[in-house]
Amino acid sequence: MSIEGDEDALLRDVCRTLERAGFDLASPERGSDGLRVRREADAVVVTWEPGSQLDPGHLHPSEHEGMRSALQHALTAILAQTGHAVRIDRETGEVQVRPHP
């Protein structure tokens, strides 16, 4: 299997894992708010943007740090329990997922 095939399999596995855990994933085509999953060169990245229901007043992003932190910890626990190598990028807050070595 090619490296690209491995990365596609990781992306599919992360999406399936999160959906089975009850998360609704945002549509990548529309760039919608919510939980977003994308593939990068060396990892699958999971991010979250609050929807209009949670942010009707268009609050500053720092207003959502408590929710973002709780979600990061939940994502990390769920993905690690299913055998993935997971870390949170301290600069961006993105959850990065790599296959276990």
Side-chain angles (χ1 to χ4, degrees), residues 10-101:
L10 179 60
L11 177 66
R12 285 189 304 273
D13 188 45
V14 167
C15 289
R16 276 193 305 264
T17 298
L18 295 175
E19 288 170 340
R20 280 187 301 233
F23 289 100
D24 291 326
L25 304 181
S27 170
E29 296 84 30
R30 294 185 312 230
S32 58
D33 297 330
L35 199 61
R36 300 176 184 172
V37 182
R38 72 178 187 278
R39 187 181 106 184
E40 291 197 350
D42 61 344
V44 169
V45 177
V46 185
T47 59
W48 175 73
E49 291 300 322
S52 59
Q53 306 91 313
L54 291 177
D55 194 13
H58 304 289
L59 300 174
H60 188 272
S62 65
E63 298 291 328
H64 298 289
E65 285 310 309
M67 286 187 285
R68 192 176 313 279
S69 178
L71 183 58
Q72 288 168 339
H73 291 294
L75 292 170
T76 300
I78 290 164
L79 292 165
Q81 287 177 354
T82 57
H84 297 95
V86 185
R87 71 181 276 283
I88 297 173
D89 183 293
R90 298 219 185 268
E91 289 183 32
T92 65
E94 296 174 331
V95 175
Q96 299 173 342
V97 185
R98 291 178 174 81
H100 249 299

